[in-house]
Amino acid sequence: MNEIIKKNGLMFGTVIGLISVLTTALIYSIDLKLFTSWWIGVLNILIYISISIYLLVKTKKDLNGVFPFKSAFTTYFLATVIGILISTTFNIVLFNVIDPGAKDTIKELTIKFAVEMMQKFNTPAAAVNQAIKDMQASDQFAIDQLLKGAIYSILFSSVFGLLLAAIFKSKTVEKF
């Protein structure tokens, strides 16, 4: 693996992970209700996309414009996996070691938020009751659920990474 790709992937992956950790820690310390806030999710996605774009622009520049698709995707993928692993590890420690009670509070807030949304869309009472029952039975912060979520995040991010790699790859010049 090219040293520039490795260096940038590691550095930006660490930055992504630390931003995620800081965001989670701030939300945790300010108000657990923020975990159900849609605008926090949108803001996180915008920050993540911005960092990813900057990563690819910087790496392409560092490679003097020679940035094949595979290198672009590898750079993005490395950063994404590192960021997700840092974030997941922090969530496992926070919600399963430091403060397991917080996950119960967040679950209650999430159920309340979901019920309010379903009622706004005139969801039948039977469907609302089933959704409540299903949410109460699950533990989104259990270690296995967090690891499963990390795998899904990596898969979803990979699809997004393919798109970004296609956009940022260097243009090939055909010689006749």
Side-chain angles (χ1 to χ4, degrees):
M1 180 183 301
N2 181 301
E3 285 304 312
I4 292 172
I5 290 171
K6 188 187 304 185
K7 180 186 77 139
N8 286 351
L10 290 170
M11 181 178 64
F12 279 84
T14 303
V15 168
I16 290 168
L18 291 177
I19 288 173
S20 178
V21 165
L22 287 173
T23 302
T24 301
L26 279 172
I27 292 170
Y28 173 80
S29 63
I30 293 171
D31 187 358
L32 293 178
K33 289 179 187 173
L34 292 173
F35 280 108
T36 62
S37 245
W38 65 269
W39 63 271
I40 296 275
V42 171
L43 184 62
N44 280 336
I45 290 169
L46 291 175
I47 290 169
Y48 175 70
I49 290 171
S50 299
I51 292 170
S52 298
I53 290 171
Y54 182 71
L55 162 66
L56 294 176
V57 167
K58 179 184 182 335
T59 305
K60 185 174 183 177
K61 182 180 174 192
D62 291 349
L63 294 170
N64 299 317
V66 180
F67 203 31
F69 178 84
K70 180 180 177 186
S71 296
F73 179 75
T74 301
T75 305
Y76 171 86
F77 185 76
L78 181 61
T80 299
V81 169
I82 290 169
I84 289 170
L85 290 177
I86 291 170
S87 176
T88 302
T89 302
F90 178 75
N91 287 337
I92 288 171
V93 172
L94 177 62
F95 294 113
N96 291 285
V97 177
I98 296 172
D99 189 2
K103 62 184 177 180
D104 295 329
T105 303
I106 295 169
K107 181 192 285 190
E108 291 172 23
L109 292 169
T110 303
I111 291 170
K112 181 180 175 190
F113 177 78
V115 167
E116 289 172 2
M117 290 303 293
M118 287 187 278
Q119 288 173 342
K120 284 182 185 177
F121 290 106
N122 295 319
T123 305
V128 172
N129 291 336
Q130 184 61 46
I132 291 170
K133 184 178 172 184
D134 292 344
M135 286 191 282
Q136 287 173 333
S138 70
D139 181 2
Q140 70 185 34
F141 294 106
I143 294 171
D144 64 328
Q145 292 301 312
L146 288 170
L147 292 174
K148 191 186 307 181
I151 291 169
Y152 287 129
S153 293
I154 290 169
L155 291 174
F156 176 77
S157 294
S158 294
V159 173
F160 183 67
L162 292 171
L163 176 66
L164 283 179
I167 293 169
F168 285 96
K169 70 179 178 144
S170 54
K171 309 298 182 241
T172 57
V173 179
E174 292 186 40
K175 296 181 182 180
F176 293 97

